[in-house]
Amino acid sequence: MAGRIRDTDIALVRERSPIAEVVSTRVTLRSAGGGSLKGLCPFHDEKTPSFTVSPARGFYHCFGCGAGGDVITFVMESEMLGFTEAVEWLASRAGLTLTYEESPGGRTVQQPKRSGQRQRLVEAHVAAAEFYAEQLGTPGARPARQYLAERGFDQAVATEYGCGFAPTEWDALTKHLRGRKFTEDELVTAGLAKQSRRGTLIDRFRGRLLWPLRELNGDIVGFGARRLLDDDDGPKYLNTPETPIYKKSSLLYGLDRAKREIAKRHRAVVVEGYTDVMACHVAGVPTAVATCGTAFGAEHISVLRRLLMDQDEFRGEVVFTFDGDEAGMKAARRAFEEDQRFVAQTFIAVSPDGMDPCELRLANGDMAVRDLIERRTPLVRFVLQSTMDRYDLDTVEGRVAAMRACAPHVARLKDRAQRPEYARWLAGRLGMEIEPVTRAVAEAANAVARGQRPSAPAAEVPTEPAVQRPSSEDPVLAVEREALKLAVQDPVLAGPMFDAVEAVAYTHPVYVAIREAIAAAGGVVEGTSGPEWVQRLQDGCDDLVAQSVIGELAVEPVRRDGEVDARYAAVLLARLQEIAVVRQIAPLKNKLQRLNPVEKPDEFARLSGELFALEQHRRGLREQAIGGL
């Protein structure tokens, strides 16, 4: 049985894997002040960024869905890996060798590095890509080289994009990879081989030009294969099937190359094929990507939105380049249906003669491709025009029918300010007065609203009232939150003074639960800053809301412009105690006011003494807080 990874190795993996660098392979991060970074959460769909990363503390937290953890947790969640596989993934990335231990009879056994399933499948694809690339130079690959040359790509470009050729033999790749110690089960699971009718293992791709399909982090997880030979009765394009590491609904070809330019230029160009991506990149449009054997859908949008930082405060651009034929028109209309998922403005770029980017570059050069993108048209205008083109606008009936067909498109525009402008544009194109068009758009908008209205709720079953999450903006709870934030982020700085303030000083039940978790962990004197401390506190909390809030506190900037030092900690904790004392004073004063000192002199004297002591304590805390400023 394989052993566990040595704790010192896990700590080294965390140290050598900067969380901002790892997260940035999937999310565009921008400064959020206080040393924190912010982006769109990769774990749920959102319009305003709530995903926060604290590089200094090696922790991330999403204030929207509650996801959070350290760099290992991020890899586990984003790559769908177990703990050990995530550590191995990060170790491989950082160039580290792991040591595995087990103790039979108290004896430590050192074991060589092992690889999880994902790592093995990726390694098989890397080996396959190398094999295919080598085959591209063989005599049998002449049709593949000719295909690339006819589309304007020389050997240097083919090499840069990892193009390869699958030999026509039944099991050329299978034999090669079996010789590299990959098992038959691994080859079938990876989608590189399949069972023949006779039960033997054969290659999935034969006699085809291939492109490696890479994830955002650069890992090869599949292949796209183009038919070349006349006797190949398979589909024109054949992709790797769905596997544990390849999901075509979320993968975009070329995104590993384009991601930085997309984030930098705030623009993504969506084309239809692999050669279109290559042509755009070579021609100076480095933000081009393409789907892999499936229609552009919701998961592709989620991936692009995270890179574009697609949020309310910023509007990027997504430019679609569809063919000018009927299939391209249908694709454009489907894209417009998904348009509402973007905050970014969507455009379409169609060559006047219907050529795709690859054909356009071949016919007119690189500049023509760049001009095509720059001459983009708003997608809504394109959809409206293509809809009108289906009707005879020379007749009253045709104009009215076109208006009714176009009105729902205008009504669905996410930017309400654009609706009256497009209604006016539509009226001009139809040759109609603005009033009936505006009325048709309003009616369509009302119909959409009625369709989105939720149905009447079923009878409610009484339940225990849920504990509300404390607001980070609540001024009444601000001091409590800052004190806990200090303990989570820098327990050494919080020190014994924090431990001296008991849970009764906290008023919100979630904050009380967190304070109790800190006490259960031995107090801050037992803590060391970093993701291990945060995880330890979360593990000590039974309350799921409290666990999530701990994640928030780990990455949330401290509300102080100056340096967070021992003086600040002393002032903050003195203020926390002062507020707690004030809460004790108020009911005591009320009780004294209701008490008759003649009838109950002893009780009055006792309560008066308690009030005096509390007032003295409050003044001392106040002076301590003021003196520390």
Side-chain angles (χ1 to χ4, degrees):
M1 181 180 68
R4 62 190 296 272
I5 303 173
R6 193 166 55 184
D7 291 341
T8 53
D9 284 2
I10 295 174
L12 184 60
V13 166
R14 284 195 179 99
E15 180 184 332
R16 299 285 182 84
S17 303
I19 190 166
E21 188 178 308
V22 174
V23 171
S24 292
T25 62
R26 289 194 171 271
V27 181
T28 297
L29 297 173
R30 301 191 188 282
S31 175
S36 295
L37 302 170
K38 186 171 281 189
L40 292 171
C41 181
F43 304 118
H44 82 289
D45 194 23
E46 60 179 2
K47 290 188 178 295
T48 302
S50 59
F51 183 82
T52 303
V53 176
S54 173
R57 287 175 283 280
F59 206 82
Y60 71 91
H61 182 83
C62 176
F63 290 82
C65 69
D70 63 3
V71 67
I72 297 176
T73 308
F74 181 82
V75 173
M76 290 172 64
E77 297 297 327
S78 62
E79 303 292 337
M80 304 301 291
L81 301 177
F83 178 84
T84 298
E85 289 180 325
V87 174
E88 292 170 343
W89 189 93
L90 288 167
S92 175
R93 182 180 181 277
L96 299 174
T97 300
L98 299 175
T99 302
Y100 296 79
E101 299 177 344
E102 58 183 354
S103 303
R107 184 169 53 88
T108 299
V109 179
Q110 302 296 327
Q111 294 186 338
K113 178 182 176 181
R114 63 176 181 179
S115 296
Q117 183 194 51
R118 176 186 170 83
Q119 182 72 13
R120 288 291 294 172
L121 298 185
V122 170
E123 288 173 356
H125 277 86
V126 171
E130 294 171 351
F131 173 80
Y132 289 141
E134 291 174 359
Q135 295 299 311
L136 189 60
T138 62
R142 182 179 177 183
R145 295 193 299 271
Q146 183 177 348
Y147 178 90
L148 291 170
E150 289 173 350
R151 281 150 184 78
F153 305 119
D154 57 20
Q155 182 177 347
V157 175
T159 300
E160 182 181 354
Y161 285 84
C163 296
F165 178 71
T168 55
E169 290 85 350
W170 286 99
D171 57 357
L173 177 68
T174 299
K175 287 180 178 178
H176 175 75
L177 294 182
R178 294 288 285 122
R180 296 281 296 272
K181 307 303 182 184
F182 290 99
T183 66
E184 290 189 0
D185 183 61
E186 287 173 335
L187 299 185
V188 172
T189 302
L192 296 170
K194 60 182 180 179
Q195 293 287 340
S196 69
R197 294 176 181 176
R198 294 183 297 174
T200 58
L201 209 61
I202 60 174
D203 297 348
R204 179 171 296 276
F205 306 114
R206 298 187 308 278
R208 288 179 173 249
L209 173 64
L210 290 106
W211 288 267
L213 305 180
R214 298 177 182 270
E215 281 197 326
L216 200 60
N217 60 16
D219 284 348
I220 301 176
V221 294
F223 291 95
R226 211 283 185 188
R227 184 181 61 203
L228 298 171
L229 307 177
D230 294 336
D231 58 354
D232 187 341
D233 57 359
K236 183 177 179 181
Y237 283 96
L238 179 66
N239 283 4
T240 296
E242 294 274 315
T243 71
I245 63 172
Y246 174 63
K247 307 297 178 186
K248 65 181 180 181
S249 60
S250 60
L251 193 143
L252 289 164
Y253 176 71
L255 193 58
D256 59 304
R257 291 174 168 272
K259 60 185 179 183
R260 296 193 185 280
E261 289 297 324
I262 289 174
K264 177 181 176 182
R265 302 187 186 205
H266 315 309
R267 176 189 286 176
V269 177
V270 181
V271 299
E272 291 198 297
Y274 307 129
T275 56
D276 291 330
V277 171
M278 295 168 65
C280 284
H281 289 190
V282 172
V285 183
T287 58
V289 296
T291 60
C292 302
T294 186
F296 187 79
E299 292 187 50
H300 297 124
I301 291 173
S302 296
V303 172
L304 285 183
R305 289 191 66 241
R306 293 196 294 270
L307 292 177
L308 284 166
M309 279 292 284
D310 185 33
Q311 62 196 58
D312 292 333
E313 307 88 62
F314 169 75
R315 290 185 179 271
E317 291 185 1
V318 179
V319 183
F320 296 96
T321 62
F322 297 116
D323 293 342
D325 56 14
E326 181 57 31
M329 299 301 104
K330 289 182 179 179
R333 286 191 284 271
R334 283 198 304 269
F336 183 70
E337 292 298 320
E338 298 285 357
D339 172 73
Q340 307 308 306
R341 296 178 182 270
F342 281 112
V343 175
Q345 297 296 307
T346 51
F347 297 84
I348 188 167
V350 178
S351 175
D353 44 13
M355 290 189 291
D356 60 36
C358 184
E359 294 169 337
L360 186 62
R361 173 177 176 266
L362 197 61
N364 301 320
D366 293 349
M367 182 64 74
V369 177
R370 296 196 295 271
D371 287 345
L372 172 68
I373 304 305
E374 294 305 320
R375 289 186 285 102
R376 63 202 181 281
T377 301
L379 184 57
V380 58
R381 183 175 299 184
F382 178 85
V383 170
L384 290 174
Q385 186 61 61
S386 63
T387 300
M388 286 187 287
D389 289 344
R390 302 202 304 266
Y391 299 90
D392 182 2
L393 302 184
D394 291 331
T395 66
V396 173
E397 292 78 9
R399 291 193 294 272
V400 172
M403 177 190 70
R404 289 172 175 164
C406 291
H409 295 317
V410 178
R412 281 198 295 268
L413 287 174
K414 56 182 175 286
D415 189 342
R416 292 176 178 268
Q418 291 185 2
R419 293 179 186 177
E421 293 302 316
Y422 272 107
R424 189 174 292 108
W425 179 88
L426 181 59
R429 288 299 178 117
L430 292 172
M432 301 176 66
E433 296 295 329
I434 182 64
E435 288 78 8
V437 177
T438 301
R439 188 164 53 251
V441 171
E443 290 173 356
N446 290 334
V448 171
R450 286 194 300 272
Q452 292 176 344
R453 184 174 298 154
S455 56
E460 294 185 1
V461 178
T463 58
E464 291 294 323
V467 176
Q468 296 295 314
R469 172 186 296 272
S471 170
S472 60
E473 303 301 324
D474 190 333
V476 177
L477 299 175
V479 175
E480 296 179 28
R481 190 177 186 92
E482 288 300 297
L484 291 172
K485 192 185 301 179
L486 184 67
V488 172
Q489 294 185 10
D490 199 338
V492 175
L493 187 60
M497 188 174 178
F498 175 90
D499 287 337
V501 183
E502 298 181 354
V504 292
Y506 300 85
T507 58
H508 197 286
V510 171
Y511 290 163
V512 172
I514 294 173
R515 178 63 186 89
E516 291 174 345
I518 294 173
V524 295
V525 295
E526 296 293 328
T528 55
S529 59
E532 296 91 346
W533 171 242
V534 176
Q535 190 63 55
R536 185 175 168 189
L537 296 181
Q538 289 180 321
D539 291 343
C541 264
D542 294 330
D543 187 281
L544 296 179
V545 175
Q547 291 177 9
S548 178
V549 173
I550 289 172
E552 295 177 4
L553 298 175
V555 301
E556 195 174 279
V558 174
R559 294 188 176 186
R560 178 175 171 82
D561 294 332
E563 182 181 359
V564 180
D565 52 13
R567 178 180 295 181
Y568 169 75
V571 170
L572 176 65
L573 294 170
R575 178 63 178 148
L576 176 66
Q577 293 180 80
E578 181 191 358
I579 294 173
V581 170
V582 169
R583 286 200 300 272
Q584 292 177 274
I585 289 173
L588 193 56
K589 281 184 176 180
N590 290 334
K591 192 172 184 179
L592 277 169
Q593 288 174 352
R594 297 191 304 271
L595 192 65
N596 188 330
V598 177
E599 294 179 356
K600 297 182 178 180
D602 293 340
E603 186 177 356
F604 186 86
R606 180 179 61 81
L607 293 178
S608 296
E610 290 181 12
L611 178 61
F612 178 78
L614 286 172
E615 288 283 10
Q616 287 290 96
H617 186 35
R618 184 192 66 79
R619 281 194 290 270
L621 291 169
R622 187 63 171 163
E623 291 172 0
Q624 181 179 347
I626 295 174
L629 294 176

